[in-house]
Amino acid sequence: MTLKKLRVVFSIIVLLLFAFIFIFGTDKTTHLSETLTALQVMPATLKLMAGAGAAAIGLGIILLLTLLFGRVYCSFMCPLGTLQDIFIFLKYKSKRKFFRREKNYRLLRYAALTATALLSGFGVMTAAALLDPYSNFGRVFTSIVKPAWVWLHNSNAQLFHLKPLTQQNIPLDVAAYSAAILVLLGAFSYFRGRIFCNTLCPVGGLLGLISRYSFFKIKINREKCDSCAKCMAVCKAGCIDLKSGTVDNERCVACFNCIEACDSRDMSFGIPVKVTLPDPSRRQAVKTISMLFGSALIYFSSARKVFANIYPVKKKNPIILPPGAQSLSNYRKYCTGCQLCVAYCPTKVLKPSLFEDGYKAVLQPKLDYPAYYCLYECNTCSQVCPTHAIRPLRQADKKLVKIGTAKFIKENCIVYEKNVECVSCNEYCPTKAAAMVPYKGDLLIPQVKENLCIGCGACEKACPSKPHKAIYVEGLKIQGTADKPKGGQKRKKFGIMKEFPF
Amino acid sequence: MHRREFIKKSVAMAATAAAATTLGSVKKLMAAPAAGTPALVAVKGAAPGKMYKSAINALGGIKTFVKPNQIVVVKPNIGWNVEPEYAANTNPELVKEIVKSCLDAGAKKVYVFDHTCDQWQKSYKTSGIENAVKEAGGVISPGNEPRLYQAVKVPGGKALKDAAVHELILSSDVFINVPVLKSHGSTKLTIGMKNLMGIVRDRGWWHANNLHQCIADFAAFRRPDLTIVDAYRVMTDNGPRGVGSGEDIAPMQSLIATRDIVAADAAAAKIFGIEPEEIKYIKYAAEKNLGAMDLNTINIKKISL
């Protein structure tokens, strides 16, 4: 097996595994997600920054491999890289099947890397979220591929007696943004190969720096080379310079296409003789970056609903974070918006937003109340989060994590308005924080026991008051711990029944 | 379900309802099929499957309810993403035994569904009911999609005049209601009639428009051919979902089986220690002559295993 074939097979397997977890992931496949994302540079780095020492293992493996073999990560492990390779494969099958030599774009590359590193260091995830290849891949799959799959599945579910799936909860702007990214990435990779990886990708920038010093490099045997340029034509990184007979190892993504294409096998992967670095081009850099960012800014502002009612629900803090996020500042610091939690969330209460909550929160998911609520027994998002933006929680602990507090507006309540029983909120409440207290006659009315409330939002979803809810959840900037609900008060009345009471 | 079939069944149902009102009393229609057969069977002291078997035998066997090639729909309570031992849902072993007996009686297909409260795929799985139904050879069917529901009129409804009902309820020949007996915040108890909230689309509307009257009104729509109340494990407090601990669960090891949904709820309420009249929807249903709230008026067989 040649190196190229090994690369193709390996990268396809990795891509399929990623596609699998994003499309079919359930609480049974969290270990697979953990393993896969542990070997992704950006999530592993953030996880390490968040204090998870174990993340150093995955990161160490990748960095060591890069030091040995160059940017093999980009061609073997990166799901976005392999996604681009699909478009590049189409190019190879087309009529104009050659890539041209690219300029270095060093300035742009370093600028993207520096900006990402600095901003992330200061706890602002905007650059990391927009540029991280893994997160971009995740968004394409969660907001385009998975919804398409669910639609296809559900439209044929009846025919094949399949169980319908719950559709993703993706706002239009996020879907449009992800689609734009996919189109741009497809176009750029078709015409310019791995140009994203060598300009805007911060992971490419970082690994490029290391691979300058890597042990194994692609080299050209200049004595035998007849300058046929077949290697240049297949080089999707555009990093081969035949005039000087050198390969720019900083930009080489180690795809090994050149070795395969070389007639006289005058190219080899080995210890190099010499490395040269061409000059960067500023103009090209500015052009590329403005094009990419310009398209990224396509923004459909979500319509804000205006109510005429006199008791509208005005949330002071509508941002409700998944349990395990710990605090708004922790979450903002580590989430790159890869949407793995969104893909896994069984109730689809997790929903990404684009610019709704400011640039620091770009593409970071939050809980979408009252569209659905956070399921009491579920801790899946905390199990799959690859960056520790959502810290792992055991199920028993998750049940006590307080992500918000329910508030009751008596004037909106059906019991107050119509003098009839309702009690929907109490019915759905998993901790009975939405308690019922005597009201008029034998009527009961809700009263929130804030010490028991975990802010799951079940009451808000269940409340049938229209158009405004009588009970809603205020988010917490710092998540807390609720008291454990007590049961068993009436249990002792129920002895063993000797005879039926009728 | 096909449109033609639906129209046929709706007409048939309307005719039945009309016939019932002209006869004056629904009670006469649901009189026991053979003389000497009890109207209600109460069993205690064994595993759910075993109690079901002896109850259904006392009622004349499952074959008096299910004829060969009929379509059966079983409606347990699968409302919550809660494990069987916490008794928020109907006991899966009981559901399994019911599905199996229907198939043994020659049923063409046995469907099981609920319009769950928690996310339905999770609830089906965690409750153990999805697995139980598959093992028994039945079909577990979705209940949470709006397109599965069809608009119907509710005859004689005071608060509830129309509803959207799951198509399986409209298209099946036999309807078996399998509630679990639980404490409930709003209605004190949830039993048989309350379980029927899981066959309609918009139960939020019921909550907002006199819940008890809606429950009683809807009981007149499609009377279950059989109601089997699961009181094997009983949630004594913090219902209907429970607070995730076993502290509220009492092992009462009982089961009630009857054609009369009102009598089923009355008997279950008594087992729980509450007089049936205290539960408004039972009282309202009895006032509408939908069944017997006074258990002294019907023939009850009690079995201790």
Side-chain angles (χ1 to χ4, degrees), chain A residues 27-28 154 157-158 161-166 346-347 372-373 375-378 380 395 399 414 418 420-424 426-432 436 442-444 462 464-466 485-491 493-495 497-502, chain B residues 40 42-44 80-82 117-122 124 130 142 145 147-148 167 184-187 194 202-204 207-212 236-245 247-252 254 267 270-272 280 295 300 302-303:
Chain A
D27 50 3
K28 301 271 186 313
N154 287 356
Q158 250 184 336
H161 302 289
L162 299 169
K163 211 161 110 179
L165 306 168
T166 309
T347 68
Y372 212 80
Y373 55 91
L375 202 55
Y376 188 49
E377 293 84 1
C378 178
T380 305
Q395 196 201 50
K399 288 179 174 177
I414 281 163
K418 298 187 181 174
V420 293
E421 279 190 51
C422 167
V423 204
S424 278
N426 173 272
E427 186 177 342
Y428 273 71
C429 179
T431 65
K432 290 288 168 274
M436 300 309 297
D442 58 353
L443 276 180
L444 302 169
S465 284
K466 278 176 186 170
K486 271 194 201 131
Q489 275 89 340
K490 296 188 185 159
R491 166 71 186 83
K493 276 202 318 185
F494 292 77
M497 188 172 52
K498 289 204 179 82
E499 283 301 325
F500 281 110
F502 43 77
Chain B
L40 184 141
V43 192
K44 67 180 174 71
W80 309 99
N81 179 38
V82 171
C117 299
D118 280 342
Q119 206 262 354
W120 70 270
Q121 288 100 329
K122 287 284 252 190
Y124 275 21
E130 176 173 5
E145 282 172 64
R147 61 171 178 82
L148 301 171
E167 57 185 23
H184 194 280
S186 50
T187 55
K194 175 84 177 62
D202 186 8
R203 52 177 169 246
H207 277 276
N209 293 277
N210 197 351
L211 181 61
H212 286 277
T236 58
D237 197 9
N238 290 317
R241 197 190 196 281
V243 287
S245 65
E247 293 162 327
D248 289 318
I249 309 303
M252 302 197 68
S254 318
K270 284 221 169 216
I271 289 179
F272 199 91
K280 280 188 224 155
L295 296 174
I300 297 177
K302 299 171 205 171
I303 303 169

Side-chain angles (χ1 to χ4, degrees), chain A residues 145-198:
Chain A
V145 182
K146 189 167 184 180
W149 166 255
V150 172
W151 177 82
L152 192 73
H153 176 103
N154 287 356
S155 51
N156 292 296
Q158 250 184 336
L159 194 62
F160 298 106
H161 302 289
L162 299 169
K163 211 161 110 179
L165 306 168
T166 309
Q167 186 54 282
Q168 296 288 116
N169 184 1
I170 306 288
L172 191 62
D173 53 359
V174 174
Y177 170 77
S178 307
I181 289 293
L182 180 63
V183 169
L184 271 176
L185 208 63
F188 268 93
S189 52
Y190 187 86
F191 293 109
R192 306 282 294 273
R194 292 289 203 99
I195 190 85
F196 167 78
C197 314
N198 281 327

Side-chain angles (χ1 to χ4, degrees), chain B residues 87-120:
Chain B
N89 304 307
T90 304
N91 189 294
E93 200 193 321
L94 173 63
V95 177
K96 185 176 169 180
E97 212 54 58
I98 293 171
V99 172
K100 221 193 274 172
S101 73
C102 292
L103 287 168
D104 289 346
K108 197 169 165 188
K109 262 201 166 148
V110 182
Y111 290 102
V112 180
F113 81 94
D114 189 10
H115 183 178
T116 66
C117 299
D118 280 342
Q119 206 262 354
W120 70 270

Side-chain angles (χ1 to χ4, degrees), chain A residues 108-339:
Chain A
L108 179 53
R109 192 161 64 242
Y110 293 169
L113 175 60
T114 317
T116 309
L118 276 178
L119 285 172
S120 309
F122 285 114
V124 179
M125 275 294 109
T126 317
L130 291 175
L131 299 179
D132 171 35
Y134 156 73
S135 301
N136 272 295
F137 172 85
R139 287 193 289 269
V140 166
F141 264 70
T142 312
S143 51
I144 302 169
V145 182
K146 189 167 184 180
W149 166 255
V150 172
W151 177 82
L152 192 73
H153 176 103
N154 287 356
S155 51
N156 292 296
Q158 250 184 336
L159 194 62
F160 298 106
H161 302 289
L162 299 169
K163 211 161 110 179
L165 306 168
T166 309
Q167 186 54 282
Q168 296 288 116
N169 184 1
I170 306 288
L172 191 62
D173 53 359
V174 174
Y177 170 77
S178 307
I181 289 293
L182 180 63
V183 169
L184 271 176
L185 208 63
F188 268 93
S189 52
Y190 187 86
F191 293 109
R192 306 282 294 273
R194 292 289 203 99
I195 190 85
F196 167 78
C197 314
N198 281 327
T199 51
L200 290 175
C201 178
V203 177
L206 176 73
L207 298 182
L209 281 178
I210 298 170
S211 68
R212 275 167 77 164
Y213 309 104
S214 71
F215 200 60
F216 288 92
K217 286 175 180 173
I218 305 256
K219 62 176 184 181
I220 300 169
N221 186 341
R222 294 191 70 187
E223 280 159 32
K224 285 195 196 166
C225 174
D226 56 3
S227 298
C228 72
K230 280 184 181 161
C231 56
M232 271 181 78
V234 295
C235 181
K236 55 195 173 197
C239 67
I240 298 175
D241 181 6
L242 271 186
K243 268 184 211 153
S244 62
T246 53
V247 178
D248 178 4
N249 211 56
E250 187 173 349
R251 288 183 290 143
C252 170
V253 291
C255 71
F256 308 125
N257 281 355
C258 53
I259 297 177
E260 189 100 341
C262 185
D263 286 336
S264 48
R265 301 277 161 182
D266 283 337
M267 299 194 80
S268 60
F269 191 50
I271 300 154
V273 188
K274 186 184 149 206
V275 178
T276 55
L277 291 169
D279 295 318
S281 156
R282 211 165 292 204
R283 194 187 300 167
Q284 202 66 25
V286 174
K287 226 158 79 183
T288 319
I289 198 167
S290 53
M291 274 179 77
L292 273 170
F293 269 102
S295 333
L297 286 167
I298 299 171
Y299 173 47
F300 301 89
S301 64
S302 52
R304 307 252 186 276
K305 282 175 193 150
V306 181
F307 292 118
N309 194 291
I310 41 170
Y311 302 112
V313 173
K314 276 190 192 145
K315 294 193 182 187
K316 282 188 210 109
N317 190 7
I319 299 170
I320 295 150
L321 301 176
Q326 292 190 335
S327 68
L328 200 62
S329 63
N330 173 72
Y331 191 65
R332 291 282 179 260
K333 245 190 279 181
Y334 296 110
C335 174
T336 61
C338 76
Q339 317 303 340

Side-chain angles (χ1 to χ4, degrees), chain A residues 421 442-443, chain B residues 212 216 276-285:
Chain A
E421 279 190 51
D442 58 353
L443 276 180
Chain B
H212 286 277
E277 304 85 61
E278 288 178 40
I279 318 276
K280 280 188 224 155
Y281 69 79
I282 303 183
K283 202 170 92 185
Y284 294 160

